[in-house]
Amino acid sequence: MTPLPYGSWPTPITSERVVTAAVRLEDVRPDGSGGVVWGEGRAAEGGRTQLVRRDAEGTVTDLLPEGANARTAVHEYGGGAWWLHGGAVFFVDWADQRLRRLDGDTITVLTPEPATPRGDRYADGDVAPDGTWLVCVRERHPREGAPATEVVNEIVRLDAREPSEPQVLVTGPDFVAAPRLSPDAGRLAWVSWDHPSMPWDDTVLTVRDLATGADTVVAGGPGESVAEPAWQADGSLHFLSDRTGWWNLYRWDGSTVSGVVVVDAEIGLPAWQLAGSRSATVGDSVVFARSSQGFDALCVREKGEHADRGAVSELDTPFSAIRSVRADGTDAVVCIAGSPTSEAGVHRVGLDGTVTTLRAPRDLGLDSATISVPEPMTFASVDGAGRPRDAHALYYPPAGDGPRDQLPPLLVVIHGGPTGQAAPVLALGLQYWTSRGFGVVDVNHGGSTGYGRAYREQLKGAWGVVDVADCLAAARALADAGRVDPDRLAIRGGSAGGFTTLAALARDDTPFSAGADHFGVADLEALAADTHKFESRYLDGLVGPYPEAREVYVERSPITHVERFATPLIVLQGDEDAIVPPNQSEMIVDALRRRGVPVAYLLFEGEQHGFRKAENIRRALDAELAFYAEMFGFALPADEDITPVPIER
């Protein structure tokens, strides 16, 4: 039987399968009574986050009433929208951003009604051991549409049982995170940072004696990113620091800092969202996730004679992408983890490596031959000055064979951030392409996480240069190796990856013949002038201070180089996106229309930064496939009902 052309293969991985029963597992926490609670972002329910409990007997129950959505808008990216204590669930509801307490079926609203809609936002809390009060982050927007300069981030104290007026404990820094109470509730630890730093640049860890008000700076400052403080039973404090060039684990005993796990691998992740956790103390051991060459592993550091000693061993688990690591008793952790052949699930992992699955991934019913497994890839590229350097990626070959006289089309995928990381975990949204005959290269360009601080800082002052160079180099390396068709190279990215996509196309030497921009940045000046507080100075480090470096902003902006655009493009955008507003996408679409370049534009109602509704995720995937079919000249699978996308020519 003659193989079908690449791109047109029939596949069980349709857009419907991608979203059917699909969930985003957002966090997991033991409830202290043998049960576990996790958050599920459900595409079929409009993308809302439901909290789910599995009790000690294995009974699974949805906790939130219909319509409730445990999601915070702090930093716009959220995280830390819920936490547990003594059988109660504390959660922030997306609709009004007020903090609530859930006891059984009873919900108590703990925070006052804000002066403006969603004007006060809460996140990342911790409850005192006696359960009477709590601390959390509050982000205050004093008036509707307040500019970033007026938004105030603070740590506040609240009554944990009934409504109260928040008491401000920490104010002054531009940002605060991770307020954590000591076991006796006598001390408060927190992380802070100021513009123009981001939390992966320079942060400070401070501890306050709540009786005296005396503050002690434990770690951090220029050139050091500190994160994830966690008090220990003996009153010491664990935290992550990249002082050696890698996010490793340290201990503060009240006077000195010593290493707990110091390895040439990354334990931490960039804090785009609050309340991350990549390590936990379990009995006398420390369990931690570490990333090396793009792949995670779960490791144990046994107790040694000294805090900075003890054997480190890797647990024998199938996982390659791990997050939300939290202690569960004295012999195990719970975590969210997946592998190249399995979506993320909720698992309990013992100190001996025994894995018990608490929330299984979807039963996809797929033949293993349908799944493409990533190959780590290191390739030659250049830095911002044109000097040789290595870059990294994961390459997913087509899941099958096409005609002998053809090579597969290539899809270059760019993660967001741009400090994100291509994760080697089964993602049906990616297998959607490989199962149809596309090769996919998921690029960890300079600036990505997982390869140490020096690699992360390769993007400083070079956004739109180093990332673009790495994407071009990855595509050319695969084409030169004869693995993909050099005449059918496409590039796609969302958010920061959308900017890289546009920048890679706005070049006379672009190797790409099609592109897909998902809510990407087209005009750096517009982004600097119209974005939220968390990222309002981010471009200082990636591009340069504005307006002093205005010429660089203009030169790097794809909208400035529309005369170079000759590559067909599909643009997908949410109409409620506060991070990359729709006007960014519309500027580039209008420019391509004027140029006569084939362009398709889809604006999705009710979507923010990233699509959450099942019907919109499906439409975006199928529209992009239809666009490539038109541009690359292959037929859409006959057994799928895919609506063609309108293309303006």
Side-chain angles (χ1 to χ4, degrees), residues 401-625:
D401 297 315
R404 291 185 178 181
D405 61 347
Q406 283 188 11
L407 289 171
L410 176 70
L411 195 55
V412 176
V413 175
I414 312 150
H415 60 65
T419 60
Q421 182 179 5
V425 63
L426 179 64
L428 283 200
L430 188 149
Q431 302 289 331
Y432 174 93
W433 303 102
T434 55
S435 65
R436 298 169 188 276
F438 280 78
V440 175
V441 61
D442 207 352
V443 181
N444 275 322
H445 57 70
S448 301
T449 299
Y451 303 90
R453 185 176 182 114
Y455 192 78
R456 198 167 70 241
E457 291 190 339
Q458 288 181 1
L459 211 59
K460 278 192 172 293
W463 192 32
V465 179
V466 165
D467 49 328
V468 172
D470 289 356
C471 290
L472 270 60
R476 288 170 174 154
L478 289 164
D480 291 346
R483 302 194 69 177
V484 300
D485 186 344
D487 295 323
R488 294 193 295 171
L489 306 178
I491 185 169
R492 76 191 298 252
S495 190
F499 166 75
T500 303
T501 295
L502 295 173
L505 297 178
R507 301 168 58 100
D508 296 329
D509 65 344
T510 186
F512 299 109
S513 49
D517 165 29
H518 296 241
F519 39 87
V521 177
D523 185 340
L524 292 175
E525 275 198 286
L527 183 65
D530 183 19
T531 193
H532 55 106
K533 181 184 178 183
F534 182 66
E535 291 186 86
S536 62
R537 298 289 302 278
Y538 188 19
L539 298 188
D540 284 30
L542 294 175
V543 182
Y546 188 84
E548 294 86 344
R550 181 177 182 274
E551 291 184 6
V552 180
Y553 280 71
V554 172
E555 173 59 30
R556 298 264 183 91
S557 294
I559 196 68
T560 308
H561 304 290
V562 292
E563 75 283 355
R564 299 178 187 168
F565 271 101
T567 303
L569 182 70
I570 181 170
V571 180
L572 305 110
Q573 174 72 45
D575 71 346
E576 295 180 4
D577 194 334
I579 295 168
V580 178
N583 69 313
Q584 288 274 302
S585 289
E586 288 158 6
M587 283 190 290
I588 203 71
V589 170
D590 289 342
L592 294 178
R593 286 169 176 157
R594 292 193 299 269
R595 290 266 302 154
V597 176
V599 61
Y601 179 47
L602 297 180
L603 183 67
F604 293 96
E605 183 179 354
E607 291 285 11
Q608 293 92 40
H609 197 63
F611 304 151
R612 291 172 174 262
K613 299 177 181 178
E615 64 272 20
N616 294 338
I617 296 170
R618 287 196 62 190
R619 177 57 177 151
L621 268 174
D622 288 343
E624 191 174 342
L625 175 64

Side-chain angles (χ1 to χ4, degrees), residues 12 225 529 541 581 610:
S225 171

Side-chain angles (χ1 to χ4, degrees), residues 311-327:
V312 172
S313 59
E314 183 177 316
L315 296 177
D316 183 16
T317 75
F319 305 130
S320 54
I322 303 164
R323 53 194 170 86
S324 195
V325 179
R326 303 188 188 277

Side-chain angles (χ1 to χ4, degrees), residues 188-209:
L188 172 69
W190 73 91
V191 173
S192 63
W193 66 97
D194 292 304
H195 284 314
S197 294
M198 298 298 286
W200 45 88
D201 295 327
D202 318 295
T203 61
V204 174
L205 173 61
T206 304
V207 169
R208 175 175 297 170
D209 185 315

Side-chain angles (χ1 to χ4, degrees), residues 265-298:
E266 207 83 287
I267 299 176
L269 294 173
W272 283 98
Q273 292 188 309
L274 296 165
S277 178
R278 290 265 288 183
S279 69
T281 299
V282 181
D284 291 332
S285 301
V286 173
V287 180
F288 62 96
R290 68 104 180 99
S291 178
S292 180
Q293 297 304 307
F295 285 71
D296 279 351
L298 201 60

Side-chain angles (χ1 to χ4, degrees), residues 626-638:
F627 184 78
Y628 295 143
E630 184 73 17
M631 295 303 113
F632 290 161
F634 61 81
L636 293 171

Side-chain angles (χ1 to χ4, degrees), residues 142-290:
R143 57 189 175 88
E144 191 73 19
T149 53
E150 295 183 13
V151 176
V152 178
N153 293 68
E154 300 169 316
I155 295 172
V156 298
R157 172 175 171 156
L158 292 161
D159 192 301
R161 300 157 299 178
E162 57 188 29
S164 64
E165 187 66 30
Q167 173 192 353
V168 176
L169 296 180
V170 179
T171 190
D174 288 324
F175 299 97
V176 289
R180 301 292 181 260
L181 293 166
S182 62
D184 63 359
R187 291 177 292 174
L188 172 69
W190 73 91
V191 173
S192 63
W193 66 97
D194 292 304
H195 284 314
S197 294
M198 298 298 286
W200 45 88
D201 295 327
D202 318 295
T203 61
V204 174
L205 173 61
T206 304
V207 169
R208 175 175 297 170
D209 185 315
L210 293 176
T212 67
D215 289 346
T216 301
V217 173
V218 173
E224 182 179 4
S225 171
V226 183
E228 297 187 21
W231 290 99
Q232 306 301 296
D234 64 0
S236 65
L237 184 69
H238 281 189
F239 61 93
L240 298 180
S241 166
D242 67 354
R243 59 182 59 189
T244 66
W246 301 91
W247 268 311
N248 282 180
L249 187 63
Y250 295 85
R251 175 181 182 270
W252 178 69
D253 64 6
S255 59
T256 60
V257 171
S258 58
V260 176
V261 178
V262 181
V263 293
D264 287 345
E266 207 83 287
I267 299 176
L269 294 173
W272 283 98
Q273 292 188 309
L274 296 165
S277 178
R278 290 265 288 183
S279 69
T281 299
V282 181
D284 291 332
S285 301
V286 173
V287 180
F288 62 96
R290 68 104 180 99

